[in-house]
Amino acid sequence: EVQLVETGGGLVQPGKSLKLTCATSGFTFSTAWMHWVRQSPEKRLEWIARIKDKSNNYATDYVESVKGRFTISRDDSKSSVYLQMNSLKEEDTATYYCTPGYWFAYWGQGTLVTVSS
Amino acid sequence: DVVMTQTPVSLSVSLGGQVSISCRSSQSLLHNNGNTYLSWYLQKPGQSPQLLIYKVSNRFSGISDRFSGSGSGTDFTLKISRVEPDDLGLYYCGQGTQYPLTFGSGTKLEIK
């Protein structure tokens, strides 16, 4: 059974940092491309980052709104993917999900990030 | 960026009825590898999104054949037949052809 567990969310002030973790099991993590997708309080879904596998040199890609602020990384030995979020803004408030593959077949429960002073 | 336009924003259907949701992309979703990466998701109340359909018309594992996807290029449709109470929620289309990956704004399905 595929499992994805996102952790690390919380309440943070604008300009601060937060690191999210997604622990996975039930599929071959090392060959999976991993993504982070967020959902705003208004229920809008937004893809924000992707990291490829080792054979693709762990190439990363980001949506423009988070480039230079967010960093996606992975640890294949722990079957985990991370999202380092710096210089957080109020508009980053959302539930953050990690999901593998080409068409987001599996989703975790998400972790809520609230950016507010 | 590819803009995904979903219509209608909401719809109400009687149990046992049929509905269609439209999704139009601002650019063709035909990838140069010949695949069209258009997916449909359902988010039930209080739950995470779940994959229904991938590559336009392929039902994901365990998804009822009451759900069907069709379309090509920039114009796609999700049809739900014999609507059941468990079908209510938010439906999203999403494209995986071009980065940044993008989603439609969602269609809320309510049961009359």
Side-chain angles (χ1 to χ4, degrees):
Chain A
E1 179 192 5
V2 173
Q3 289 194 329
L4 304 120
V5 179
E6 301 95 341
T7 57
L11 174 63
V12 62
Q13 294 178 328
K16 300 296 187 179
S17 299
L18 210 56
K19 185 174 184 177
L20 306 183
T21 297
C22 171
T24 78
S25 61
F27 64 99
T28 307
F29 181 85
S30 61
T31 59
W33 294 12
M34 294 298 299
H35 305 259
W36 285 96
V37 175
R38 65 185 178 185
Q39 186 171 38
S40 68
E42 298 77 25
K43 298 300 184 181
R44 182 175 67 95
L45 287 173
E46 181 181 35
W47 170 87
I48 53 174
R50 179 225 69 222
I51 185 166
K52 295 184 179 181
D53 63 343
K54 183 177 181 180
S55 70
N56 287 284
N57 299 314
Y58 300 122
T60 59
D61 208 347
Y62 301 90
V63 71
E64 194 63 37
S65 61
V66 308
K67 277 182 184 176
R69 300 190 299 123
F70 290 13
T71 302
I72 187 172
S73 61
R74 62 191 293 162
D75 184 339
D76 291 347
S77 69
K78 296 182 178 179
S79 297
S80 294
V81 62
Y82 309 96
L83 187 67
Q84 176 67 47
M85 305 186 294
N86 299 331
S87 303
L88 281 161
K89 305 176 180 180
E90 291 190 351
E91 52 264 40
D92 295 319
T93 293
T95 297
Y96 286 72
Y97 298 95
C98 67
T99 178
Y102 297 105
W103 33 78
F104 309 155
Y106 304 99
W107 300 64
Q109 85 289 346
T111 187
L112 177 62
V113 173
T114 303
V115 185
S116 175
S117 54
Chain B
D1 298 2
V2 179
V3 177
M4 306 296 288
T5 302
Q6 259 184 263
T7 54
V9 172
S10 65
L11 69 165
S12 183
V13 62
S14 299
L15 293 176
Q18 178 175 297
V19 295
S20 293
I21 300 171
S22 171
C23 179
R24 289 183 174 168
S25 57
S26 60
Q27 302 172 35
S28 174
L29 299 185
L30 178 62
H31 194 277
N32 55 23
N33 66 10
N35 291 313
T36 299
Y37 295 103
L38 186 283
S39 301
W40 290 95
Y41 306 87
L42 164 60
Q43 186 173 32
K44 299 179 182 179
Q47 296 186 18
S48 303
Q50 63 180 100
L51 176 66
L52 298 174
I53 302 283
Y54 64 97
K55 286 201 297 182
V56 181
S57 60
N58 295 273
R59 274 186 299 276
F60 185 54
S61 175
I63 300 303
S64 169
D65 61 4
R66 297 184 300 103
F67 294 89
S68 63
S70 63
S72 64
T74 62
D75 202 348
F76 305 92
T77 301
L78 175 70
K79 289 186 179 177
I80 312 168
S81 60
R82 306 185 305 280
V83 170
E84 299 180 355
D86 196 44
D87 297 338
L88 71 88
L90 279 165
Y91 288 80
Y92 298 92
C93 60
Q95 66 85 16
T97 295
Q98 182 181 128
Y99 283 91
L101 309 183
T102 50
F103 295 90
S105 54
T107 295
K108 186 174 184 180
L109 178 64
E110 298 176 320
I111 309 297
K112 285 182 183 175

